[in-house]
Amino acid sequence: MKVVKVFNNNVVLIENDNNVEEIVTGRGIGFGIREGDTLKDVKITQKFVLEEQASVHELEALLQRIDVKDIELAGDILQLYETEVGNTVNNMALLGLADHINFAVERARKGMNFRSALEWEIKQLYAKEYSVALRAVGLMQQRTGIEIPEQEAAFITLHFVNAIGTHNRMEETIFITKVIQSISNIIKYHYGFEFNEKSFYFTRFITHVRYFVKRQLDNEVASEETSSLLNVVKLQYEDDYNCAVKIKEFLEKQHGWNISNEEVVYLTLHLHKLSSDK
């Protein structure tokens, strides 16, 4: 392993045998070595692939204000998430979560506890991620010896959700969460009953809506070549179609989006599955 950059005594950027740059951490692994040296006979705690050059600069800036333990803890939490949920996080997730952990621990140490304004929505919409986040809070307490409030799980959940995909934009994740909650409210009022938010069909519906909103934000509008299928679902699933139209009209009015007939068809089909699962 060729040393590319030494950040400090515990964090080093190396080039592995496959010519891929990795961040490696471990107590004292950077002591006494320089750029171009070969890193060997050291105890590496963790490895992280950072594909984007910008993330290397962000890591360098981050290490000026936080401890390497926060990075290692963030890495362990993300690995727990990947194992339990089955998703693969993007390369930028590590830095964002490590920075958040450092801030959260400092707040807890000073007795400054905050709640997310979206805590209830986060629990409902991302139940699986939230359950892992609760375990992450326990891991934070175990590693730091500081009482971390349970409310912290909501913030960690957003980091999990934000870690999926190729970008790392927390504001966008929060916006998507708010839109999903608005859509959930529309369907609850339309059907007049509470859905089982832990059911398979509810999870599928939320996943569909999440990617639907993401496509709108990325201007990836679906085609309109579904008029025949639209007529079929209007006849067979009239009530579900009417709910889909309410969602379409809300999003067009609230956000100025162009909701295609194809999206209405998909929404109707998902709503039919969801409304049938009482």
Side-chain angles (χ1 to χ4, degrees), residues 6 8-12 26-34 39:
V6 179
N8 58 37
N9 285 344
N10 305 309
V11 185
V12 177
R27 285 296 167 188
I29 65 171
F31 181 75
I33 61 172
R34 295 178 295 180
L39 189 66

Side-chain angles (χ1 to χ4, degrees), residues 140-151:
M140 289 171 64
Q141 292 182 159
Q142 178 185 338
R143 294 280 187 88
T144 64
I146 298 171
E147 187 70 23
I148 307 295
E150 187 177 289
Q151 298 95 302

